[in-house]
mmCIF file with all atom_site columns, all heavy atoms in Angstrom:
data_model
loop_
_atom_site.group_PDB
_atom_site.id
_atom_site.type_symbol
_atom_site.label_atom_id
_atom_site.label_alt_id
_atom_site.label_comp_id
_atom_site.label_asym_id
_atom_site.label_entity_id
_atom_site.label_seq_id
_atom_site.pdbx_PDB_ins_code
_atom_site.Cartn_x
_atom_site.Cartn_y
_atom_site.Cartn_z
_atom_site.occupancy
_atom_site.B_iso_or_equiv
_atom_site.pdbx_formal_charge
_atom_site.auth_seq_id
_atom_site.auth_comp_id
_atom_site.auth_asym_id
_atom_site.auth_atom_id
_atom_site.pdbx_PDB_model_num
ATOM   1   N N   . GLY A 1 17  ? 54.181 -101.526 12.745 1.00 98.00 ? 131 GLY A N   1
ATOM   2   C CA  . GLY A 1 17  ? 55.000 -102.419 11.921 1.00 98.00 ? 131 GLY A CA  1
ATOM   3   C C   . GLY A 1 17  ? 55.988 -101.540 11.087 1.00 98.00 ? 131 GLY A C   1
ATOM   4   O O   . GLY A 1 17  ? 55.966 -100.357 11.142 1.00 98.00 ? 131 GLY A O   1
ATOM   5   N N   . TYR A 1 18  ? 56.614 -102.197 10.240 1.00 98.00 ? 132 TYR A N   1
ATOM   6   C CA  . TYR A 1 18  ? 57.705 -101.596 9.412  1.00 98.00 ? 132 TYR A CA  1
ATOM   7   C C   . TYR A 1 18  ? 57.123 -100.494 8.452  1.00 98.00 ? 132 TYR A C   1
ATOM   8   O O   . TYR A 1 18  ? 57.407 -99.432  8.517  1.00 98.00 ? 132 TYR A O   1
ATOM   9   C CB  . TYR A 1 18  ? 58.317 -102.725 8.487  1.00 98.00 ? 132 TYR A CB  1
ATOM   10  C CG  . TYR A 1 18  ? 59.168 -102.317 7.416  1.00 98.00 ? 132 TYR A CG  1
ATOM   11  C CD1 . TYR A 1 18  ? 60.140 -101.260 7.567  1.00 98.00 ? 132 TYR A CD1 1
ATOM   12  C CD2 . TYR A 1 18  ? 59.038 -102.858 6.127  1.00 98.00 ? 132 TYR A CD2 1
ATOM   13  C CE1 . TYR A 1 18  ? 60.919 -100.782 6.618  1.00 98.00 ? 132 TYR A CE1 1
ATOM   14  C CE2 . TYR A 1 18  ? 59.962 -102.395 5.079  1.00 98.00 ? 132 TYR A CE2 1
ATOM   15  C CZ  . TYR A 1 18  ? 60.843 -101.385 5.366  1.00 98.00 ? 132 TYR A CZ  1
ATOM   16  O OH  . TYR A 1 18  ? 61.669 -100.902 4.273  1.00 98.00 ? 132 TYR A OH  1
ATOM   17  N N   . ILE A 1 19  ? 56.140 -100.921 7.634  1.00 98.00 ? 133 ILE A N   1
ATOM   18  C CA  . ILE A 1 19  ? 55.526 -99.920  6.717  1.00 98.00 ? 133 ILE A CA  1
ATOM   19  C C   . ILE A 1 19  ? 54.611 -98.946  7.470  1.00 98.00 ? 133 ILE A C   1
ATOM   20  O O   . ILE A 1 19  ? 54.668 -97.744  7.319  1.00 98.00 ? 133 ILE A O   1
ATOM   21  C CB  . ILE A 1 19  ? 54.798 -100.525 5.651  1.00 98.00 ? 133 ILE A CB  1
ATOM   22  C CG1 . ILE A 1 19  ? 55.818 -101.447 4.796  1.00 98.00 ? 133 ILE A CG1 1
ATOM   23  C CG2 . ILE A 1 19  ? 54.056 -99.594  4.600  1.00 98.00 ? 133 ILE A CG2 1
ATOM   24  C CD1 . ILE A 1 19  ? 55.127 -102.358 3.740  1.00 98.00 ? 133 ILE A CD1 1
ATOM   25  N N   . ASP A 1 38  ? 47.400 -101.934 16.865 1.00 98.00 ? 152 ASP A N   1
ATOM   26  C CA  . ASP A 1 38  ? 48.316 -102.962 16.482 1.00 98.00 ? 152 ASP A CA  1
ATOM   27  C C   . ASP A 1 38  ? 48.362 -103.957 17.791 1.00 98.00 ? 152 ASP A C   1
ATOM   28  O O   . ASP A 1 38  ? 48.328 -103.489 18.928 1.00 98.00 ? 152 ASP A O   1
ATOM   29  C CB  . ASP A 1 38  ? 49.768 -102.376 16.182 1.00 98.00 ? 152 ASP A CB  1
ATOM   30  C CG  . ASP A 1 38  ? 50.696 -103.365 15.524 1.00 98.00 ? 152 ASP A CG  1
ATOM   31  O OD1 . ASP A 1 38  ? 50.852 -104.471 16.041 1.00 98.00 ? 152 ASP A OD1 1
ATOM   32  O OD2 . ASP A 1 38  ? 51.144 -102.970 14.478 1.00 98.00 ? 152 ASP A OD2 1
ATOM   33  N N   . ASN A 1 39  ? 48.422 -105.227 17.457 1.00 98.00 ? 153 ASN A N   1
ATOM   34  C CA  . ASN A 1 39  ? 48.343 -106.048 18.713 1.00 98.00 ? 153 ASN A CA  1
ATOM   35  C C   . ASN A 1 39  ? 49.877 -106.468 19.132 1.00 98.00 ? 153 ASN A C   1
ATOM   36  O O   . ASN A 1 39  ? 50.160 -107.270 19.957 1.00 98.00 ? 153 ASN A O   1
ATOM   37  C CB  . ASN A 1 39  ? 47.495 -107.338 18.485 1.00 98.00 ? 153 ASN A CB  1
ATOM   38  C CG  . ASN A 1 39  ? 48.076 -108.297 17.267 1.00 98.00 ? 153 ASN A CG  1
ATOM   39  O OD1 . ASN A 1 39  ? 49.015 -107.820 16.742 1.00 98.00 ? 153 ASN A OD1 1
ATOM   40  N ND2 . ASN A 1 39  ? 47.476 -109.424 17.056 1.00 98.00 ? 153 ASN A ND2 1
ATOM   41  N N   . ARG A 1 41  ? 51.966 -108.224 17.536 1.00 97.00 ? 155 ARG A N   1
ATOM   42  C CA  . ARG A 1 41  ? 52.355 -109.601 17.302 1.00 97.00 ? 155 ARG A CA  1
ATOM   43  C C   . ARG A 1 41  ? 53.728 -109.631 16.603 1.00 97.00 ? 155 ARG A C   1
ATOM   44  O O   . ARG A 1 41  ? 54.525 -110.514 16.853 1.00 97.00 ? 155 ARG A O   1
ATOM   45  C CB  . ARG A 1 41  ? 51.205 -110.277 16.546 1.00 97.00 ? 155 ARG A CB  1
ATOM   46  C CG  . ARG A 1 41  ? 51.688 -111.745 16.006 1.00 97.00 ? 155 ARG A CG  1
ATOM   47  C CD  . ARG A 1 41  ? 50.483 -112.430 15.546 1.00 97.00 ? 155 ARG A CD  1
ATOM   48  N NE  . ARG A 1 41  ? 50.840 -113.674 14.900 1.00 97.00 ? 155 ARG A NE  1
ATOM   49  C CZ  . ARG A 1 41  ? 50.100 -114.693 14.652 1.00 97.00 ? 155 ARG A CZ  1
ATOM   50  N NH1 . ARG A 1 41  ? 48.780 -114.486 14.658 1.00 97.00 ? 155 ARG A NH1 1
ATOM   51  N NH2 . ARG A 1 41  ? 50.486 -115.831 14.079 1.00 97.00 ? 155 ARG A NH2 1
ATOM   52  N N   . ASN A 1 42  ? 53.967 -108.698 15.667 1.00 96.00 ? 156 ASN A N   1
ATOM   53  C CA  . ASN A 1 42  ? 55.195 -108.687 14.921 1.00 96.00 ? 156 ASN A CA  1
ATOM   54  C C   . ASN A 1 42  ? 55.770 -107.285 15.016 1.00 96.00 ? 156 ASN A C   1
ATOM   55  O O   . ASN A 1 42  ? 56.323 -106.797 13.954 1.00 96.00 ? 156 ASN A O   1
ATOM   56  C CB  . ASN A 1 42  ? 55.047 -109.098 13.436 1.00 96.00 ? 156 ASN A CB  1
ATOM   57  C CG  . ASN A 1 42  ? 54.864 -110.600 13.383 1.00 96.00 ? 156 ASN A CG  1
ATOM   58  O OD1 . ASN A 1 42  ? 55.427 -111.430 13.970 1.00 96.00 ? 156 ASN A OD1 1
ATOM   59  N ND2 . ASN A 1 42  ? 53.899 -110.986 12.464 1.00 96.00 ? 156 ASN A ND2 1
ATOM   60  N N   . ALA A 1 43  ? 55.685 -106.642 16.121 1.00 96.00 ? 157 ALA A N   1
ATOM   61  C CA  . ALA A 1 43  ? 56.268 -105.276 16.264 1.00 96.00 ? 157 ALA A CA  1
ATOM   62  C C   . ALA A 1 43  ? 56.402 -105.071 17.724 1.00 96.00 ? 157 ALA A C   1
ATOM   63  O O   . ALA A 1 43  ? 56.036 -105.773 18.624 1.00 96.00 ? 157 ALA A O   1
ATOM   64  C CB  . ALA A 1 43  ? 55.223 -104.226 15.642 1.00 96.00 ? 157 ALA A CB  1
ATOM   65  N N   . ASP A 1 65  ? 43.798 -106.393 18.989 1.00 98.00 ? 179 ASP A N   1
ATOM   66  C CA  . ASP A 1 65  ? 43.719 -107.283 17.835 1.00 98.00 ? 179 ASP A CA  1
ATOM   67  C C   . ASP A 1 65  ? 42.638 -106.742 16.886 1.00 98.00 ? 179 ASP A C   1
ATOM   68  O O   . ASP A 1 65  ? 41.421 -106.586 17.269 1.00 98.00 ? 179 ASP A O   1
ATOM   69  C CB  . ASP A 1 65  ? 43.311 -108.743 18.163 1.00 98.00 ? 179 ASP A CB  1
ATOM   70  C CG  . ASP A 1 65  ? 43.577 -109.677 17.081 1.00 98.00 ? 179 ASP A CG  1
ATOM   71  O OD1 . ASP A 1 65  ? 42.946 -109.350 15.970 1.00 98.00 ? 179 ASP A OD1 1
ATOM   72  O OD2 . ASP A 1 65  ? 44.071 -110.725 17.262 1.00 98.00 ? 179 ASP A OD2 1
ATOM   73  N N   . ALA A 1 66  ? 42.993 -106.420 15.640 1.00 98.00 ? 180 ALA A N   1
ATOM   74  C CA  . ALA A 1 66  ? 42.046 -105.745 14.723 1.00 98.00 ? 180 ALA A CA  1
ATOM   75  C C   . ALA A 1 66  ? 40.784 -106.660 14.364 1.00 98.00 ? 180 ALA A C   1
ATOM   76  O O   . ALA A 1 66  ? 39.898 -106.101 13.601 1.00 98.00 ? 180 ALA A O   1
ATOM   77  C CB  . ALA A 1 66  ? 42.757 -105.266 13.457 1.00 98.00 ? 180 ALA A CB  1
ATOM   78  N N   . LEU A 1 87  ? 46.826 -102.095 7.361  1.00 98.00 ? 201 LEU A N   1
ATOM   79  C CA  . LEU A 1 87  ? 47.982 -102.928 7.082  1.00 98.00 ? 201 LEU A CA  1
ATOM   80  C C   . LEU A 1 87  ? 48.123 -104.121 7.994  1.00 98.00 ? 201 LEU A C   1
ATOM   81  O O   . LEU A 1 87  ? 48.890 -104.996 7.743  1.00 98.00 ? 201 LEU A O   1
ATOM   82  C CB  . LEU A 1 87  ? 49.198 -102.164 7.389  1.00 98.00 ? 201 LEU A CB  1
ATOM   83  C CG  . LEU A 1 87  ? 49.570 -100.953 6.419  1.00 98.00 ? 201 LEU A CG  1
ATOM   84  C CD1 . LEU A 1 87  ? 49.055 -99.652  7.042  1.00 98.00 ? 201 LEU A CD1 1
ATOM   85  C CD2 . LEU A 1 87  ? 50.988 -100.756 6.180  1.00 98.00 ? 201 LEU A CD2 1
ATOM   86  N N   . LYS A 1 91  ? 52.800 -111.528 7.070  1.00 95.00 ? 205 LYS A N   1
ATOM   87  C CA  . LYS A 1 91  ? 53.311 -111.267 5.710  1.00 95.00 ? 205 LYS A CA  1
ATOM   88  C C   . LYS A 1 91  ? 54.411 -112.154 5.342  1.00 95.00 ? 205 LYS A C   1
ATOM   89  O O   . LYS A 1 91  ? 54.985 -112.038 4.168  1.00 95.00 ? 205 LYS A O   1
ATOM   90  C CB  . LYS A 1 91  ? 53.937 -109.908 5.701  1.00 95.00 ? 205 LYS A CB  1
ATOM   91  C CG  . LYS A 1 91  ? 55.010 -109.668 6.524  1.00 95.00 ? 205 LYS A CG  1
ATOM   92  C CD  . LYS A 1 91  ? 55.855 -108.395 6.166  1.00 95.00 ? 205 LYS A CD  1
ATOM   93  C CE  . LYS A 1 91  ? 57.069 -108.273 7.006  1.00 95.00 ? 205 LYS A CE  1
ATOM   94  N NZ  . LYS A 1 91  ? 57.872 -107.068 6.755  1.00 95.00 ? 205 LYS A NZ  1
ATOM   95  N N   . TYR A 1 156 ? 49.630 -116.667 1.539  1.00 96.00 ? 270 TYR A N   1
ATOM   96  C CA  . TYR A 1 156 ? 49.855 -115.245 1.757  1.00 96.00 ? 270 TYR A CA  1
ATOM   97  C C   . TYR A 1 156 ? 49.295 -114.442 0.609  1.00 96.00 ? 270 TYR A C   1
ATOM   98  O O   . TYR A 1 156 ? 48.469 -113.465 0.771  1.00 96.00 ? 270 TYR A O   1
ATOM   99  C CB  . TYR A 1 156 ? 51.232 -114.900 1.997  1.00 96.00 ? 270 TYR A CB  1
ATOM   100 C CG  . TYR A 1 156 ? 51.548 -113.372 1.941  1.00 96.00 ? 270 TYR A CG  1
ATOM   101 C CD1 . TYR A 1 156 ? 51.111 -112.458 2.939  1.00 96.00 ? 270 TYR A CD1 1
ATOM   102 C CD2 . TYR A 1 156 ? 52.243 -112.801 0.809  1.00 96.00 ? 270 TYR A CD2 1
ATOM   103 C CE1 . TYR A 1 156 ? 51.330 -111.142 2.921  1.00 96.00 ? 270 TYR A CE1 1
ATOM   104 C CE2 . TYR A 1 156 ? 52.335 -111.412 0.749  1.00 96.00 ? 270 TYR A CE2 1
ATOM   105 C CZ  . TYR A 1 156 ? 51.917 -110.588 1.806  1.00 96.00 ? 270 TYR A CZ  1
ATOM   106 O OH  . TYR A 1 156 ? 52.127 -109.242 1.706  1.00 96.00 ? 270 TYR A OH  1
ATOM   107 N N   . LYS A 1 160 ? 45.892 -111.780 0.069  1.00 98.00 ? 274 LYS A N   1
ATOM   108 C CA  . LYS A 1 160 ? 45.836 -110.395 -0.481 1.00 98.00 ? 274 LYS A CA  1
ATOM   109 C C   . LYS A 1 160 ? 44.869 -110.252 -1.643 1.00 98.00 ? 274 LYS A C   1
ATOM   110 O O   . LYS A 1 160 ? 44.044 -109.386 -1.659 1.00 98.00 ? 274 LYS A O   1
ATOM   111 C CB  . LYS A 1 160 ? 47.261 -110.027 -1.060 1.00 98.00 ? 274 LYS A CB  1
ATOM   112 C CG  . LYS A 1 160 ? 48.304 -109.760 -0.039 1.00 98.00 ? 274 LYS A CG  1
ATOM   113 C CD  . LYS A 1 160 ? 48.026 -108.478 0.782  1.00 98.00 ? 274 LYS A CD  1
ATOM   114 C CE  . LYS A 1 160 ? 48.782 -108.437 2.073  1.00 98.00 ? 274 LYS A CE  1
ATOM   115 N NZ  . LYS A 1 160 ? 48.316 -107.444 3.000  1.00 98.00 ? 274 LYS A NZ  1
ATOM   116 N N   . PRO A 1 188 ? 59.124 -102.797 -0.885 1.00 98.00 ? 302 PRO A N   1
ATOM   117 C CA  . PRO A 1 188 ? 59.535 -101.687 -0.072 1.00 98.00 ? 302 PRO A CA  1
ATOM   118 C C   . PRO A 1 188 ? 60.846 -102.083 0.678  1.00 98.00 ? 302 PRO A C   1
ATOM   119 O O   . PRO A 1 188 ? 60.947 -103.256 1.281  1.00 98.00 ? 302 PRO A O   1
ATOM   120 C CB  . PRO A 1 188 ? 58.357 -101.560 0.890  1.00 98.00 ? 302 PRO A CB  1
ATOM   121 C CG  . PRO A 1 188 ? 57.398 -102.635 0.578  1.00 98.00 ? 302 PRO A CG  1
ATOM   122 C CD  . PRO A 1 188 ? 57.881 -103.546 -0.548 1.00 98.00 ? 302 PRO A CD  1
HETATM 123 P P1  . LIG B 2 .   ? 54.836 -105.866 9.591  1.00 80.91 ? 87  LIG B P1  1
HETATM 124 O O1  . LIG B 2 .   ? 54.635 -107.291 10.111 1.00 80.91 ? 87  LIG B O1  1
HETATM 125 O O2  . LIG B 2 .   ? 55.956 -105.117 10.027 1.00 80.91 ? 87  LIG B O2  1
HETATM 126 O O3  . LIG B 2 .   ? 53.491 -105.015 9.920  1.00 80.91 ? 87  LIG B O3  1
HETATM 127 C C1  . LIG B 2 .   ? 52.206 -105.572 10.238 1.00 80.91 ? 87  LIG B C1  1
HETATM 128 C C2  . LIG B 2 .   ? 51.789 -105.141 11.488 1.00 80.91 ? 87  LIG B C2  1
HETATM 129 O O4  . LIG B 2 .   ? 50.477 -105.871 11.820 1.00 80.91 ? 87  LIG B O4  1
HETATM 130 C C3  . LIG B 2 .   ? 52.645 -105.636 12.722 1.00 80.91 ? 87  LIG B C3  1
HETATM 131 O O5  . LIG B 2 .   ? 52.948 -104.454 13.500 1.00 80.91 ? 87  LIG B O5  1
HETATM 132 C C4  . LIG B 2 .   ? 51.815 -106.645 13.515 1.00 80.91 ? 87  LIG B C4  1
HETATM 133 O O6  . LIG B 2 .   ? 52.128 -106.591 14.919 1.00 80.91 ? 87  LIG B O6  1
HETATM 134 C C5  . LIG B 2 .   ? 50.419 -106.158 13.106 1.00 80.91 ? 87  LIG B C5  1
HETATM 135 N N1  . LIG B 2 .   ? 49.338 -107.162 13.325 1.00 80.91 ? 87  LIG B N1  1
HETATM 136 C C6  . LIG B 2 .   ? 49.423 -108.530 12.881 1.00 80.91 ? 87  LIG B C6  1
HETATM 137 N N2  . LIG B 2 .   ? 48.279 -109.096 13.203 1.00 80.91 ? 87  LIG B N2  1
HETATM 138 C C7  . LIG B 2 .   ? 47.479 -108.206 13.776 1.00 80.91 ? 87  LIG B C7  1
HETATM 139 C C8  . LIG B 2 .   ? 46.137 -108.218 14.311 1.00 80.91 ? 87  LIG B C8  1
HETATM 140 N N3  . LIG B 2 .   ? 45.422 -109.375 14.260 1.00 80.91 ? 87  LIG B N3  1
HETATM 141 N N4  . LIG B 2 .   ? 45.603 -107.091 14.871 1.00 80.91 ? 87  LIG B N4  1
HETATM 142 C C9  . LIG B 2 .   ? 46.388 -105.910 14.884 1.00 80.91 ? 87  LIG B C9  1
HETATM 143 N N5  . LIG B 2 .   ? 47.678 -105.828 14.453 1.00 80.91 ? 87  LIG B N5  1
HETATM 144 C C10 . LIG B 2 .   ? 48.129 -106.936 13.786 1.00 80.91 ? 87  LIG B C10 1
HETATM 145 O O7  . LIG B 2 .   ? 54.703 -105.880 7.965  1.00 80.91 ? 87  LIG B O7  1
HETATM 146 P P2  . LIG B 2 .   ? 54.957 -104.651 6.972  1.00 80.91 ? 87  LIG B P2  1
HETATM 147 O O8  . LIG B 2 .   ? 56.059 -105.079 6.063  1.00 80.91 ? 87  LIG B O8  1
HETATM 148 O O9  . LIG B 2 .   ? 54.926 -103.417 7.647  1.00 80.91 ? 87  LIG B O9  1
HETATM 149 O O10 . LIG B 2 .   ? 53.690 -104.936 6.164  1.00 80.91 ? 87  LIG B O10 1
HETATM 150 C C11 . LIG B 2 .   ? 52.476 -104.118 6.290  1.00 80.91 ? 87  LIG B C11 1
HETATM 151 C C12 . LIG B 2 .   ? 51.349 -104.547 5.302  1.00 80.91 ? 87  LIG B C12 1
HETATM 152 O O11 . LIG B 2 .   ? 51.818 -104.429 4.014  1.00 80.91 ? 87  LIG B O11 1
HETATM 153 C C13 . LIG B 2 .   ? 50.967 -106.105 5.492  1.00 80.91 ? 87  LIG B C13 1
HETATM 154 O O12 . LIG B 2 .   ? 49.568 -106.176 5.289  1.00 80.91 ? 87  LIG B O12 1
HETATM 155 C C14 . LIG B 2 .   ? 51.795 -106.688 4.393  1.00 80.91 ? 87  LIG B C14 1
HETATM 156 O O13 . LIG B 2 .   ? 51.208 -107.936 3.928  1.00 80.91 ? 87  LIG B O13 1
HETATM 157 C C15 . LIG B 2 .   ? 51.673 -105.656 3.332  1.00 80.91 ? 87  LIG B C15 1
HETATM 158 N N6  . LIG B 2 .   ? 52.852 -105.694 2.350  1.00 80.91 ? 87  LIG B N6  1
HETATM 159 C C16 . LIG B 2 .   ? 54.065 -105.712 2.768  1.00 80.91 ? 87  LIG B C16 1
HETATM 160 C C17 . LIG B 2 .   ? 55.101 -105.902 1.858  1.00 80.91 ? 87  LIG B C17 1
HETATM 161 C C18 . LIG B 2 .   ? 56.490 -105.850 2.232  1.00 80.91 ? 87  LIG B C18 1
HETATM 162 O O14 . LIG B 2 .   ? 57.497 -106.059 1.442  1.00 80.91 ? 87  LIG B O14 1
HETATM 163 N N7  . LIG B 2 .   ? 56.941 -105.550 3.494  1.00 80.91 ? 87  LIG B N7  1
HETATM 164 C C19 . LIG B 2 .   ? 54.830 -106.040 0.466  1.00 80.91 ? 87  LIG B C19 1
HETATM 165 C C20 . LIG B 2 .   ? 53.519 -106.050 0.071  1.00 80.91 ? 87  LIG B C20 1
HETATM 166 C C21 . LIG B 2 .   ? 52.479 -105.875 1.042  1.00 80.91 ? 87  LIG B C21 1
#
Side-chain angles (χ1 to χ4, degrees):
Y132 168 47
I133 297 170
D152 197 304
N153 63 358
R155 175 166 174 168
N156 285 320
D179 189 312
L201 294 94
K205 67 161 181 180
Y270 166 74
K274 289 291 162 196

